[in-house]
Amino acid sequence: MTDISAPPSYRGAQTPGEFLREMGNVWIGLIEMIASDPDQQAALAAYFGVTPSVIRDWIDARGRTRCIAPVPPTGRRCSILVGLKVEYDPRIWAGERGRCVSHGPG
């Protein structure tokens, strides 16, 4: 019997660098614009109007939605990725909500 609640294995970008290249294909010209900036994450944050921490988390997750459940004792967000969709806009990505199988529906 197949577990239908677990998403299939991720086949998109395997590294943050690959994700940034994919993102550049979606946001034509953005990579060239930020390429000359010594702090590319800050440049991306400024371009999209989000905080640098959102950009860091978005790149680390390679645009996939992370579970929103807090993990004790630190209270940090669960690191398990949920769903198959890759979001190339960090503004939309930051607002997405979902929970992994372990943390159940919110």
Side-chain angles (χ1 to χ4, degrees):
M1 180 175 193
T2 304
D3 180 6
I4 60 172
S5 61
S9 60
Y10 179 57
R11 298 189 187 269
Q14 299 299 308
T15 66
E18 289 174 358
F19 175 69
L20 285 174
R21 281 190 294 281
E22 286 181 10
M23 190 266 308
N25 291 332
V26 173
W27 293 94
I28 303 299
L30 179 59
I31 293 298
E32 290 80 12
M33 184 185 84
I34 66 164
S36 61
D37 195 304
D39 188 347
Q40 294 179 347
Q41 288 187 6
L44 276 172
Y47 179 85
F48 286 112
V50 297
T51 64
S53 65
V54 167
I55 293 295
R56 276 191 304 279
D57 291 344
W58 174 65
I59 291 171
D60 287 345
R62 292 178 255 332
R64 299 232 358 247
T65 302
R66 286 176 46 203
C67 176
I68 62 167
V71 178
T74 63
R76 294 187 68 166
R77 190 172 175 175
C78 174
S79 63
I80 296 174
L81 300 174
V82 295
L84 297 174
K85 181 176 128 190
V86 174
E87 181 54 64
Y88 290 100
D89 187 328
R91 298 167 292 195
I92 295 170
W93 176 86
E96 290 185 342
R97 303 288 181 253
R99 290 183 175 258
C100 67
V101 175
S102 298
H103 292 113

